[in-house]
Amino acid sequence: RPMNSFMLYRKPYRHIADTMSEQRNNRTISQIIGHSWQVESKEVKDRFAALAKTNMQSHKNAFPGYKFQ
């Protein structure tokens, strides 16, 4: 399944969020990254949206009959 823009954003920042939280559970880390995503600039979000679009096209080329169920 191709990743959306937030998931692509989340991937490299996970280790940073790990260091910011004493509670190293996925819920807390997702909250930290989610807040960070909300305050990002339009330019950053647009860059990740473009990456997501490229990722989706690559996925379609690799798996032409794929349908999420």
Side-chain angles (χ1 to χ4, degrees), residues 3 5 7-9 11-12 15 20-21 25-26 29-30 34-35 44 51-52 55-56 63-66:
M3 290 191 276
S5 55
M7 294 307 291
L8 289 169
Y9 174 84
K11 193 173 182 177
H15 72 280
M20 295 174 65
S21 173
N25 61 52
N26 282 330
I29 290 167
S30 288
H35 176 67
V44 169
L51 287 171
N55 187 29
M56 181 170 292
F63 306 100
Y66 176 83

Side-chain angles (χ1 to χ4, degrees), residues 17-61:
D18 258 344
T19 63
M20 295 174 65
S21 173
E22 291 178 11
Q23 298 175 339
R24 293 209 167 93
N25 61 52
N26 282 330
R27 181 177 178 207
T28 303
I29 290 167
S30 288
Q31 288 173 342
I32 292 168
I33 297 170
H35 176 67
S36 178
W37 176 252
Q38 288 174 354
V39 298
E40 283 291 0
S41 68
K42 181 178 178 347
E43 290 81 18
V44 169
K45 289 182 179 182
D46 287 347
R47 188 171 1 140
F48 280 96
L51 287 171
K53 187 174 182 179
T54 301
N55 187 29
M56 181 170 292
Q57 190 58 49
S58 296
H59 188 271
K60 282 183 181 180
N61 292 341

